[in-house]
Amino acid sequence: MKFFVEKVAPILKPSLKLTFRLLRVFEKTQWLSKSELEEIQQEKLVKLCRHFGIKDVRDLDDLRTLPLTSKRNLIGWKPRNNVLGRKPIPQVTSGTTGEPFRFFSDSVELAVKHALALRGWQWSGWRIGDRAVDFTIHDPPKFPKNIYHRLTGWLHLNALKSKDVYEKHYAKIIRKFKPRLIRGYPSFLAELADFLNVDSKVSAIVHGEPPQPYMSKLLKAFEVYNSYGLSECRAIAFECEHHNLHVAVEGCIVEEVNGEIVVTNLDNYVQPFIRYRTGDLGKLIPGKCKCGRELPVLSPIIGRTYETYRSPTGRIIHPFYFGLLMEKYIKYVREYQALIYPEENIIEIKVVPKQKHVMGKVKLDFIEKLFGMKAKLTIVDSIEREVSGKKLLIKIVRERSRHSST
């Protein structure tokens, strides 16, 4: 089946030709020594820096002399068209930090990261051509776009459905489909775990949220493998057979700076993400993994510094959901914050808009159904910082207070 997919899929989706060629390379490089892997990183880093006019970087140590960058430094970046034959491809993050962000990638970078993802998924036991289910936040592709996915063994399901759909519909589909792998956000797969009732555990690759709050539920039905990436730098790390999170060094450099993960994307030649602050908390772990790979090991990502609260429906309220809500209105929003009032069972979403008239169209029923709480939207001029100087995306207001009305 792998041979069939690698030969037929590129006909339907030509970009996969490069992806599969790179995958064959990465399947070999994963077994290189630490020094050999660092040579690959250094060569790519020096070339990338020269491309962006940074001439003082000659080795990996020189990288640490460069300043840290963040979204604020890169907002409004205007890439040159067709640099080295790489056409800029607009991308967007849904704004789980509270600040939506538009940026650019290119086709080669996307192919590299796709190949690294395929390699990482295979560490779970899944192989190209095996059946897999991907829980997405959008409606699955329809005919004829779904032909490619069906031929390659992938079934896409919309994760944003009620528990009844998970119990009466999705569990039945998955039992009949018999996938080798299920991929999705841990909060969604935890709901599925209650109803799946399969004879043997299916591999599940989780992403997008810290899986720890859901792990007891997930382990009932799945062999769980964590993964980590950003919209700005996909395919950063994947768990191996021994459940260590390995950095895919062929595509990025990961640093730990004061407990924060800082990433350099080695493949984006249209917009520089060099020493880019992720806002995620984690650390690099010294030592070798029993799997035999000398790829660096990253601790499980703790996530950004925000308060957590379990809603009446049992879901942990996570920044992802508010990013999803704002995704459609991303060009009209400067920043936002969710205030949770447990005593009143209310979520207040404060928005600093670029265009106020658009905010009246924001539909909050999605949030209300997910969390079983009343939601309201408030237009404000700014989001207040905490005493620490930080702005919390999610803040729990435990004392009863007067909050503004919509």
Side-chain angles (χ1 to χ4, degrees):
M1 188 64 179
K2 178 180 178 182
F3 177 81
F4 171 79
V5 171
E6 290 185 345
K7 293 298 180 184
V8 173
I11 297 174
L12 300 171
K13 195 173 181 180
S15 62
L16 286 174
K17 186 174 182 180
L18 175 58
T19 297
F20 288 142
R21 192 173 81 232
L22 289 167
L23 175 60
R24 289 190 287 273
V25 173
F26 296 149
E27 286 175 334
K28 295 176 182 177
T29 57
Q30 67 180 318
W31 302 112
L32 294 179
S33 67
K34 180 182 176 182
S35 60
E36 290 171 320
L37 291 167
E38 287 176 346
E39 283 180 18
I40 292 174
Q41 284 185 308
Q42 182 167 293
E43 183 179 343
K44 294 185 75 170
L45 174 65
V46 171
K47 183 179 176 182
L48 179 76
C49 287
R50 285 178 181 169
H51 170 72
F52 285 112
I54 305 170
K55 299 178 181 179
D56 296 333
V57 174
R58 294 176 294 275
D59 54 37
L60 293 176
D61 290 334
D62 288 340
L63 177 63
R64 297 181 183 87
T65 66
L66 299 180
L68 299 177
T69 59
S70 66
K71 288 181 182 179
R72 291 184 181 277
N73 303 123
L74 296 171
I75 288 174
W77 177 270
K78 298 192 184 311
R80 289 175 292 164
N81 201 23
N82 287 319
V83 177
L84 301 177
R86 300 185 181 205
K87 185 178 179 180
I89 301 173
Q91 304 284 330
V92 65
T93 69
S94 55
T96 54
T97 61
E99 296 177 276
F101 178 45
R102 290 176 174 272
F103 65 99
F104 293 89
S105 182
D106 65 71
S107 58
V108 176
E109 193 242 338
L110 294 178
V112 171
K113 299 306 190 285
H114 189 189
L116 289 169
L118 289 172
R119 182 184 73 180
W121 297 346
Q122 289 185 121
W123 296 347
S124 72
W126 172 86
R127 295 291 180 267
I128 291 175
D130 288 350
R131 291 185 174 187
V133 174
D134 189 17
F135 277 88
T136 72
I137 58 175
H138 304 290
D139 287 326
K142 295 180 180 179
F143 182 85
K145 289 185 178 180
N146 65 348
I147 292 177
Y148 155 72
H149 299 287
R150 290 302 178 90
L151 283 176
T152 54
W154 282 85
L155 173 65
H156 294 266
L157 298 174
N158 188 329
L160 302 177
K161 299 294 182 181
S162 67
K163 283 191 175 182
D164 283 345
V165 173
Y166 275 82
E167 180 178 11
K168 298 174 183 177
H169 190 50
Y170 285 173
K172 183 179 178 181
I173 288 175
I174 290 171
R175 283 195 293 268
K176 184 177 180 181
F177 189 64
K178 296 181 179 178
R180 180 67 183 82
L181 171 68
I182 297 178
R183 183 174 175 270
Y185 295 93
S187 57
F188 296 134
L189 298 191
E191 286 193 1
L192 182 65
D194 285 337
F195 314 118
L196 201 53
N197 297 322
V198 291
D199 295 332
S200 58
K201 288 186 177 182
V202 179
S203 291
I205 294 179
V206 296
H207 62 96
E209 303 170 300
Q212 289 82 2
Y214 309 97
M215 195 57 78
S216 59
K217 267 192 174 185
L218 291 169
L219 291 174
K220 291 179 183 177
F222 306 114
E223 180 71 25
V224 182
Y225 294 84
N226 196 5
S227 63
Y228 174 59
L230 311 170
S231 298
E232 303 94 315
C233 185
R234 294 171 170 84
I236 293 174
F238 299 87
E239 267 194 17
C240 71
E241 306 86 342
H242 291 268
H243 295 284
N244 281 320
L245 196 60
H246 288 279
V247 177
V249 299
E250 299 94 332
C252 66
I253 296 172
V254 171
E255 302 173 77
E256 175 197 342
V257 180
N258 298 324
E260 180 183 356
I261 298 301
V262 172
V263 174
T264 295
N265 186 337
L266 294 172
D267 300 292
N268 190 334
Y269 272 68
V270 297
Q271 185 164 4
F273 288 91
I274 299 172
R275 301 205 81 202
Y276 182 68
R277 297 184 63 175
T278 67
D280 290 326
L281 306 178
K283 61 181 181 179
L284 290 164
I285 301 173
K288 292 185 179 180
C289 178
K290 292 180 181 178
C291 72
R293 299 178 183 89
E294 295 193 25
L295 298 165
V297 174
L298 190 62
S299 71
I301 301 300
I302 302 169
R304 294 181 171 90
T305 50
Y306 56 86
E307 296 188 81
T308 59
Y309 178 74
R310 188 177 292 276
S311 71
T313 60
R315 287 187 187 272
I316 299 289
I317 297 180
H318 185 274
F320 158 74
Y321 299 110
F322 300 101
L324 185 60
L325 172 70
M326 292 296 170
E327 184 175 37
K328 193 173 168 181
Y329 312 97
I330 204 161
K331 57 181 166 185
Y332 309 113
V333 175
R334 293 190 190 282
E335 56 181 335
Y336 57 92
Q337 180 187 56
L339 300 181
I340 301 168
Y341 299 88
E343 292 180 16
E344 301 170 54
N345 203 39
I346 288 176
I347 298 175
E348 180 185 19
I349 302 168
K350 289 186 173 183
V351 175
V352 180
K354 294 178 183 176
Q355 298 180 26
K356 289 186 178 181
H357 69 279
V358 178
M359 293 297 96
K361 300 178 182 179
V362 177
K363 305 294 184 184
L364 299 177
D365 54 338
F366 158 67
I367 292 294
E368 293 182 334
K369 287 177 183 177
L370 275 178
F371 301 130
M373 302 175 72
K374 180 175 174 54
K376 58 185 296 183
L377 185 138
T378 305
I379 304 297
V380 296
D381 293 325
S382 63
I383 302 295
E384 293 180 6
R385 294 184 181 275
E386 301 302 300
V387 176
S388 65
K390 295 180 180 179
K391 291 184 180 180
L392 294 178
L393 176 54
I394 297 176
K395 183 177 179 179
I396 301 171
V397 184
R398 298 200 179 274
E399 70 276 7
R400 189 176 293 274
S401 62
R402 286 187 197 169
H403 40 279
S404 34
S405 57
T406 52

